[in-house]
Amino acid sequence: MANIWKANLNQLFSRQSGMISTPQLIESGVSERTIRRMSTEGNLVTVLPGVFRSPAWPMGRDQLMVAGCLRNSSASLAFTTAGQIHGLRKMFDHRVHLLVPHGASPFLPGLVVHRCRKIDQGDVIDLGNGMRVTSVARSLFDVVGVIGHRRV
């Protein structure tokens, strides 16, 4: 039985750039006690509360993007970060921008958190790799405040 959830975890780690969340671990059949033990023994590295990284994966920008989305189920990558993912030109920004609904106040070190009163379902695309990103139209609308309307 343990081998089944270990295989599931390996698939998740592979698909999500070495990142996994507590709900995903529990859904895969890992108990909370086992999660604590794996974290204590160094088999899981805590990146954010409830978000872990496999020690076999380095911590980089991709891992930070996935961690931000896994930490808050209503968060999505936005602004220049979304523009870079969509392949838009002139989206030069090394920071990782995350869009969350108003009322959510996550503290996510290394991420620039933006709040919005209304985020429509059509504005968010699930990439299937642990990341959600705003649509091209929403990204262009949002990015004007970051890079200016002339560059957009």
Side-chain angles (χ1 to χ4, degrees), residues 127-141:
L127 300 179
N129 60 356
M131 289 191 267
R132 288 173 301 283
V133 65
T134 56
S135 65
V136 173
R138 175 66 190 245
S139 300
L140 287 171
F141 177 78

Side-chain angles (χ1 to χ4, degrees), residues 36-86:
R36 283 191 301 274
R37 182 178 48 78
M38 290 173 73
S39 181
T40 303
E41 293 175 353
N43 295 320
L44 292 174
V45 178
T46 303
V47 176
L48 297 169
V51 180
F52 304 96
R53 176 179 56 85
S54 166
W57 286 74
M59 185 63 188
R61 190 168 191 263
D62 287 346
Q63 286 72 27
L64 187 60
M65 290 190 294
V66 174
C69 291
L70 291 178
R71 174 69 179 112
N72 187 331
S73 62
S74 58
S76 59
L77 299 167
F79 294 81
T80 53
T81 306
Q84 292 165 359
I85 291 170
H86 290 304

Side-chain angles (χ1 to χ4, degrees), residues 77-104:
L77 299 167
F79 294 81
T80 53
T81 306
Q84 292 165 359
I85 291 170
H86 290 304
L88 302 177
R89 296 181 302 166
K90 300 185 181 181
M91 299 289 156
F92 307 114
D93 193 352
H94 66 281
R95 300 173 296 173
V96 175
H97 295 269
L98 199 67
L99 184 66
V100 297
H102 240 278

